[in-house]
Amino acid sequence: MKSQLTGVLILCILFIFSCKNEVEQAEPVDYNTLTDQEKRMPENALLGLETNPELETTLFASEPMLVNPTNMDIDARGRVWVTEGFNYRIQIHKNHPVKEEGDRIVILEDEDGDGKADTSKVFYQGTDINSALGILVLGNRVIVSCSPLVIMLTDTDGDDKADKKDILFSGIQGIQHDHGAHAFVFGPDGKLYFNFGNSGEKLLDKDGNPLKDKTGAVIDNSGNPFREGMVFRCNMDLSELEVLGNNFRNNYEVAVDSYGTLWQSDNDDDGNQGVRINYVMEYGNFGYKDEMTGAGWRSKRTGMSDSIPLRHWHLNDPGVVPNLLQTGAGSPTGIVLYEGSLLPNVFQGQIIHTDAGPNVVRSYPVKDDGAGYKATIVNILKGNKDQWFRPSDVCVAPDGSLMVSDWYDPGVGGHGVGDLKQGRIFRIAPKGKRYDIETPTIKTEKEAIQALQSPNMATRYLGFTLLESMGSKAEAALKDMWSSSNPIFKARALWLLTKMDDKRQTYLNEAIGDKNADIRITAIRIARNYPETLNPVLKQLSKDSSPQVRREVAIALRNDNSSEAEDLWIDLALQYDGKDRWYLEALGIGAQNKSAKLYRKWLAKVGSKWNEKLGRDIVWRLRDDQTLDKLVELISTSPEPWDDKLRYFRAFDFHSEPARNKALLSLVKKDSKNKDQVVITALPHFSNDFAAKNPEIKNMLNASLKSYQGTTEYLELVKKFALKSKAKEVFELALDSAQSQIGIEAFKLLIDMDKQDLIVASINKSNSGVVVDLLGNIDDWDAMNLLTDIILDDSNDSELREHALNSMGKSRRGQRKLISIIENGDLPTTMDSLAIKVFLASGHEDLRKQASGLLQSPELANGKTFSPINQLVKMDGDVANGEKVFQRTCVACHQVNGKGIDFGPKLSEIGSKLAKSALYKAILDPSEAISFGYEGVDLKMKDGSEVRGYIASNTENYIELVLMGGLKNRYQKNDIQETVPMDGSLMTSMAVAMEEQELVDLVSYLEQLK
């Protein structure tokens, strides 16, 4: 028997060594040698990713266990809950299959601790959660965000199936849109935090009634006072609803740390390299749109930044909270605060964020910066080889490891979907760390305290709720946690200890004396929930050594109109250092609804020092009309450089109209060495009615205008004051700047001023080619009529007539005009072949088909056909020739590195955002995935005309459209009959103007733009 066992043992050892030898001899797979199909297989998923050297990435789950994960959460047992988006945008993607039973919420579980999911079960499935963008697990309840609803699903019997459904909120817009309702999170204070992007628009209760913020303001995007994307807080029973920040574009998710500090990411208008990370200073305006008018960032304003990424967020405006960090181009998604200890120190207590655009999971280590923060970037996981890696969310598991969901798709943004079969979850942890999680028992104070210390939100929720229900019985256990050397644990304990009425003041007193500024900040935030405790706390901390603590004191004064609050604000303002924008904006938030009293008190205290840097900033930031005389004085007498004074002109726009007009009039009457500059810069800030009725202003304009001839300012003032006498100068400006936006706008102004005679007189002169190009660029019916006259006038030489026809073909309006010419039989047959070429390059299928019958051209009717995309991606292209194709076909609508027409999304980094197959798809079918903000509209005017473009600004009085060619034009709402969204894209498929190899070359060129 012994010899038999020995023999078996020897065989086992030999087998182990044999296996080890095979592993050692196995050649590592070279990702670059794999076929595209092999690269997409789950077993090769890790080969296309690059992990931070201090960490290890493993594949936790993949298809068919899940597909298209949009958001996730991890429960206290370490199970991953995932919302799927198989049915994303099914109303647009007509050719995609549909799950008639609706999308799913699946629970993925690793039962043996090997770091791989063994089971996938369906918690809930239904059309009411199609493309849900948020999930939060709270014990046996799950909050799901899916515009127009936020719903609560409850598992009443513990079988991992939802048995009960309740509506929490309704009316949120952005249905089947990633700018709608986003995920809820559980805060350290026991409250719920959530947000929606700028398609959300409004928040209604379960019965469809409008909801109000705690201050009484209706929650909608009307600008009274809120705009665009918002972030919210409420109690677990949905009471005490607050808007904590507004004017974001698409704040995809919110993260809250244990001190109650909020962090978000926000997406820019595609291609403008302005993706940002925000510390959400509570009640702040974050500047996506003009706070006062709702105008977009493209609309001209005094003092706007030369840098588009900065201009994008109105950062030069008073009342806009600074950005923590700008990360360039991207499509930011999930975000979390990592408060565990498993990962290396650089990630502890820091933001972890997913950005699907550049295929990356990052951390942003934060450092104090005055009253705010600054951050750097540390990559955690990057799809450096596999561009289909599209991280959609990141969560912290109970063991402190990270889970990252991967939508897995060739493209991102613009609502495009290229893959419906795949999706992954990755686990990130230090090398060799098993995913071995025991189901927690949370029944005693000790177990609850342990749960409260977990890095996992769902576990903390269970600990928090049990301790809260125990009341004073939990004090001893919480007091031990409060004595911890870990400030994160201290803060979590403090929120609960101060819920005990008879102990609140004791622990607040201890907290405001704590050496850690974050604990003192937590004390202020807690005291705001208990008004009787607030003023004593604020008084003790109003002269704190930390500007961040004083920031919180200022914010806590918002809407407190007591004399004590005024005195505290004055103390805080006197401590402003003249350079900390975070602190300045906190002062502005704290001054809300009491600026007049504060300004008078502050001015009496500060005396002549108001004209020092610290005082000038406060004058610039405060919204009381009493500051206007000081703005006038600063512009007139301040020794600051002229460019620095532009911000004072901009500040006028944030004051009431009558007071602003009066102050501006006093300003332009003053004599100064830079009188012309003052007049020209001040005039746009007058209200139109006031300026038009005041001859004094018009006389000043005429005296100062000459020195600004040829500038944008000159053109805007001619337009504002309808100075038809300046038509000749405007015409010369258009010719001199024909290749720029100002030249196009100047020519459009001539048309608007009925000065076509100047244009007609220039035909057949040396500049006629420039004139013809300008007429085609301004997309105007009057311009099309002038081009028609040139085409049909046989006294013109043939080259000029053909040039005019080509110019007419640049726009849809021009092509429609050309069809009417052909229908009337007016187009010379000698020009038929040129017209066919125009319509071949059009991309407007309806117009091509119409022209096909009129011109008897089968080529137009059938269009061009290309090889399938799966074959095109295998073809080799010539990058140099692709750039030439781009210059010929795409530059009229897109910019690369600042060159081209600024109409469609900028493409300077498009190769980072779209994989090769997605690039082909975008070119061949641009209506399949339209970037948000570039959706076309038709304005039906009351005079019967029609204008097509995309909306740059939509204010109370006007809509500003960006037209083909990049021209921006404003249309008064009184003149608009109807605004009709387009079904398809403004961006036409230019592939019809290419041969197949040219298309391949173009994609090769675009692919390397990174």
Side-chain angles (χ1 to χ4, degrees), residues 14-24:
L14 288 172
F15 177 75
I16 291 169
F17 274 99
S18 173
C19 292
K20 183 174 185 292
N21 191 46
E22 284 183 21
V23 171
E24 288 178 345

Side-chain angles (χ1 to χ4, degrees), residues 607-613 615-616 633-634 637-640:
S608 62
K609 289 187 176 180
W610 78 266
N611 205 357
E612 295 178 3
K613 179 68 170 70
R616 294 195 290 265
E633 188 172 344
L634 287 170
T637 64
S638 168
E640 295 173 273

Side-chain angles (χ1 to χ4, degrees), residues 137-182:
V137 180
L138 300 172
N140 68 332
R141 298 180 298 168
V142 177
I143 297 178
V144 183
S145 306
C146 188
S147 289
L149 302 177
V150 174
I151 60 177
M152 175 87 80
L153 298 172
T154 305
D155 174 11
T156 60
D157 55 10
D159 65 349
D160 289 331
K161 299 285 184 183
D163 309 302
K164 185 172 179 252
K165 171 184 165 183
D166 296 292
I167 296 174
L168 303 185
F169 296 106
S170 68
I172 305 170
Q173 300 304 294
I175 299 167
Q176 280 275 327
H177 197 306
D178 59 69
H179 289 233
H182 292 139

Side-chain angles (χ1 to χ4, degrees), residues 168-199:
L168 303 185
F169 296 106
S170 68
I172 305 170
Q173 300 304 294
I175 299 167
Q176 280 275 327
H177 197 306
D178 59 69
H179 289 233
H182 292 139
F184 279 59
V185 297
F186 178 71
D189 50 1
K191 298 191 177 191
L192 294 172
Y193 293 76
F194 63 105
N195 58 19
F196 63 52
N198 64 330
S199 288

Side-chain angles (χ1 to χ4, degrees), residues 581-594:
R581 179 70 181 271
W582 300 98
Y583 194 93
L584 182 65
E585 288 305 327
L587 288 173
I589 292 168
Q592 189 168 318
N593 296 327
K594 50 182 176 288

Side-chain angles (χ1 to χ4, degrees), residues 616-645:
R616 294 195 290 265
D617 285 353
I618 290 175
V619 166
W620 173 75
R621 175 59 183 86
L622 284 183
R623 297 291 174 79
D624 188 71
D625 288 345
Q626 295 175 89
T627 64
L628 288 169
D629 65 327
K630 292 291 187 282
L631 290 174
V632 169
E633 188 172 344
L634 287 170
I635 293 169
S636 303
T637 64
S638 168
E640 295 173 273
W642 175 256
D643 286 349
D644 291 349
K645 291 185 179 185

Side-chain angles (χ1 to χ4, degrees), residues 197-210:
N198 64 330
S199 288
E201 296 187 9
K202 59 187 175 182
L203 197 62
L204 309 180
D205 68 14
K206 64 180 182 179
D207 299 316
N209 301 308

